Structure formats: C-alpha cells, structure tokens
Amino acid sequence: MRILLCPLSDGGYLYPALAAGRELRRRGHHVSVLGRSAAGPVVAEAGLAFAPAEDFGGDGAFSAARWGATGVAQYRATLRAARAAGADLLVTSVLCNGTLLAAEVLDLPVVVIGLAAHLWDYRTGGEGEPQYGRTRENRTQEGHLLYASVRERAGQPARTSRWRDSPLLGDALLLRGAAELEYPGAQLPDQVRHVGPLDWEPAHDPAELDDINRHLDRSGKPVVYVHLGRNFGGGSLWSTLNKAFTEGPFQAVVEQGRSTDPQPDPGADILLVRKPWMGPLIDLAGPVLANGTSAPVLASLLRGRPLVLSPNGSEQPLLTAACLRAGVAVHLSASRERTAGPERVLDAARRDDGLRDRARALGRRLAAVDSAALAADAVERTARTSAPPKEDHAYATSRP
C-alpha cells in the first residue's frame, strides 16, 4: 500500500505521524511524507521519503500556527502530491481541513492522528462535564464551518460526505492519550480510538545537552522544564516565569515552543532554548510547567514527571481538566498565583509524592501500549474497510 503522511509540520503533530509511518514502513508499505521544506531533515532522520509542500503549491501550508488560514493551499498541495505518489491512503493531523477535503475529492481513505484527548462532541454521555473556555458543541460547530469554508474557497460544491459522522474525524481518528483522560461515562464516536502516545522525536545532540548541563550546574538549583504553547489571546506566562525563577529556589529550562515573544528578565534563572527534542530536558527536571498541549504533557507523563499547567485556548483547558481529574497535575490559575506565588506552587508539586506517583503510574500505562503498532493496525484496517457513504449530512452544506 502507498501511504502519504500529510501532518502539520510542527513537532507536536509531525513526530507522532512519523512514529506511525516508521511502523507502516517496517510492515512493507511505501510511506512518504508531505510537509513544509523545513521538516525535511527530521523526516530524513526518521528514514522516510519526503516531498516538500512548496513543490506542490503548498507555500505556507501545514503550519500549526496558521492551520485555519491555509486550508486551501494545504488542499491543493495534498491533491497534487497524492496524485503524484499514487497514494492509496492518507494520514493527517487533527485540524488539517485541506487534507481532509483532498481525501474526499480523491475518494481516498484518511486516518487522522489526534491529540491526547478528544476535542469535539462525544457520541453519548459527558453530561455534567465542566466546560473550560469554549464548549465541545461550540468547538465542533466551528470545526464544521471551517471545513465547509475550505470546501467553498477551494471551489468544491457541497456534496455527500464519505464519512458517517463528521468530516473532522476522517475514516478513523487516533487519540494519543488513554481512556482515563476522557470525561467519565462519555462515549467516543465509533471511528475514534485510543492508540497511545506515538512517542518519537529526533535524537538529541550530546554536545548541546552537555552545554545545557554545564549551564545548569553553575546554579545547582533544582530544574523545572517549561514548555510554552500559543497564547490564543490569553495571558503570557512570562510574568509568572520571571517571578518564579528570580531569586527563587528553582532554575528553568524554557522551551519556547510556539511562543514567539520570549521576555526573560536579565536576573532570572532561566535558560531559553529552542530544540527539536524535549525528552532529555524533561529528564533533568522535577516538575514540568506547561500550557497544557499534548506533546509536553505526554512526554512528561512518560517520564513520570508531575505537571503544573496554566492553560489558554484550544486543547489546553480541556487537557488540563483531564490531567487534574487523573490527579497528575495541579492548576496554576491566576488566583492561585496571587495567593501562593508560582514558586510555592512548583515546590508543592515537586514535594507531592502522591502527585508524582500518579504521574508515574499513568506514564507506565501509556508506555506499556505499543502505540505505533496500534496506529498501523488502524491504518491497515481502514484501508480494508473504508467505503463511500450513502447519506448526506447538514455540515456538507454549512456556510460560515
């Protein structure tokens, strides 16, 4: 089978797709990757063939920061690349509306790799779930409208969808978390399943890690790993970081992630980095402070690290709530920061044996799953069972 991976090219989306692609290649399938040209070296390290999206008219496509604005470029690049590769099946990331539309137009099965928890409406159940930020219903409706908008801007007429429930799910949606990160009693849609973390990242550079260790040794303070996500119009963590790591008990290694405006105070014990890997940095740390995006949450749990989460938008409030229910995180809210101070919250998390034990236990359960094999099984099963639909749906004619 010829499989084209079309994930977003940012590490949190690209790396899980590469984990699945490597297993599919091991099973004898021909696997290639479509993405921004900057992703080429990482794809090469994963041992997979690479096609730059720019060669197929996809300039600006496959960027997580611009996923809502580049759907048409993504659609056109996927359409052309899939035809050139003779693809039998597509694998993409959650939020890749352009690739989903290309799969529909080409009548190809498509598997979507999701986040650590389900973003949209449950099939049943979930009543009483506290809604942090936007509701599931609102998130689902907006997702359908954005998909319909890409269809319209791409010049594709409304038509019967190939999917039973929702175009956002594709033929199969693979969640990288575990059932305990969903709301108790809720039932996922039929084509959604958990496959585990799909943990893969590029190998770290030993010399770079040695330099980081030498820097940290000069202070000798306990280390907190900090991973910043997008703000989504919410508050920046930089004021909190400067309070926590200036003349305090900790030092921080801060991965900028998708934060574009670093603001460390000159006297703060903060080492600012931008690396394509995070595992070795988490290994150096006690607690992990993050906004609540899937990649650092899963990487921290796999290494048994307790979480201190301060969410803004998108998946961040939802995944934070899931981690709080599981007892593996504490919430660094604005009120808690004012009353206790961020350094005390971090210290309490570091000293909380129960929090650490629960994080280790959940991490062991996640690590025990052969997630690449489960993802590959799902891809092969989808290829065997996918069929065109027989009914129309309201979202197919939705307009923003």
Side-chain angles (χ1 to χ4, degrees), residues 73-389:
Q74 187 184 102
Y75 160 72
R76 290 173 179 156
T78 304
L79 201 69
R80 294 164 182 165
R83 286 171 173 160
D88 301 304
L89 181 144
L90 306 180
V91 176
T92 192
S93 304
V94 67
L95 307 178
C96 279
N97 289 319
T99 293
L100 289 169
L101 179 59
E104 185 175 347
V105 170
L106 293 169
D107 203 22
L108 288 177
V110 58
V111 173
V112 180
I113 297 179
L115 305 170
H118 188 51
L119 273 178
W120 297 301
D121 285 340
Y122 288 124
R123 177 162 56 89
T124 60
E127 294 84 1
E129 180 185 21
Q131 302 295 332
Y132 299 93
R134 299 165 58 197
T135 65
R136 286 184 184 274
E137 181 181 22
N138 177 268
R139 202 179 289 119
T140 303
Q141 288 174 346
E142 185 190 51
H144 286 158
L145 290 172
L146 286 170
Y147 181 80
S149 174
V150 172
R151 172 192 287 284
E152 184 177 58
R153 288 185 286 122
Q156 290 297 322
R159 55 167 279 188
T160 299
S161 169
R162 62 173 288 113
W163 299 295
R164 294 190 306 274
D165 299 323
S166 165
L168 308 178
L169 308 179
D171 293 281
L173 174 67
L174 311 181
L175 296 175
R176 288 151 46 203
E180 58 204 281
L181 294 179
E182 306 300 334
Y183 192 71
Q187 299 293 316
L188 293 166
D190 288 341
Q191 65 264 56
V192 180
R193 56 186 59 86
H194 291 99
V195 298
L198 288 172
D199 183 44
W200 183 88
E201 65 179 19
H204 71 275
D205 183 325
E208 290 182 2
L209 188 60
D210 286 345
D211 287 343
I212 291 170
N213 274 303
R214 281 193 291 270
H215 177 94
L216 297 176
D217 287 344
R218 286 198 291 269
S219 163
K221 294 179 180 180
V223 176
V224 175
Y225 177 71
V226 182
H227 194 101
L228 299 180
R230 290 178 62 197
N231 291 340
F232 296 101
S236 166
L237 270 180
W238 274 108
S239 174
T240 297
L241 298 182
N242 288 322
K243 289 177 186 175
F245 302 112
T246 300
E247 298 182 356
F250 297 104
Q251 60 181 324
V253 176
V254 179
E255 168 58 56
Q256 296 179 68
R258 288 156 68 187
S259 172
T260 57
D261 186 23
Q263 301 170 2
D265 285 346
D269 289 319
I270 290 175
L271 175 62
L272 194 65
V273 301
R274 185 178 288 276
K275 303 296 182 187
W277 37 266
M278 71 176 86
L281 300 177
I282 294 174
D283 289 339
L284 299 175
V288 171
L289 173 59
N291 289 122
T293 51
S294 290
V297 165
L298 291 170
S300 300
L301 291 173
L302 287 170
R303 290 161 177 81
R305 298 308 193 262
L307 293 155
V308 178
L309 300 178
S310 180
N312 282 309
S314 187
E315 68 175 306
Q316 297 173 15
L318 186 149
L319 186 52
T320 295
C323 290
L324 294 175
R325 287 196 306 269
V328 299
V330 296
H331 184 197
L332 182 60
S333 62
S335 60
R336 190 168 187 184
E337 183 178 340
R338 284 193 300 270
T339 57
E343 67 283 357
R344 293 186 180 180
V345 175
L346 289 166
D347 191 52
R350 182 173 72 96
R351 296 175 184 277
D352 189 332
D353 292 339
L355 184 72
R356 184 173 57 252
D357 289 346
R358 289 188 294 272
R360 287 174 175 168
L362 178 52
R364 285 194 295 269
R365 292 193 291 275
L366 288 167
V369 174
D370 190 343
S371 57
L374 290 177
D377 289 345
V379 168
E380 292 176 333
R381 185 166 53 249
T382 297
R384 292 192 301 268
T385 61
S386 174

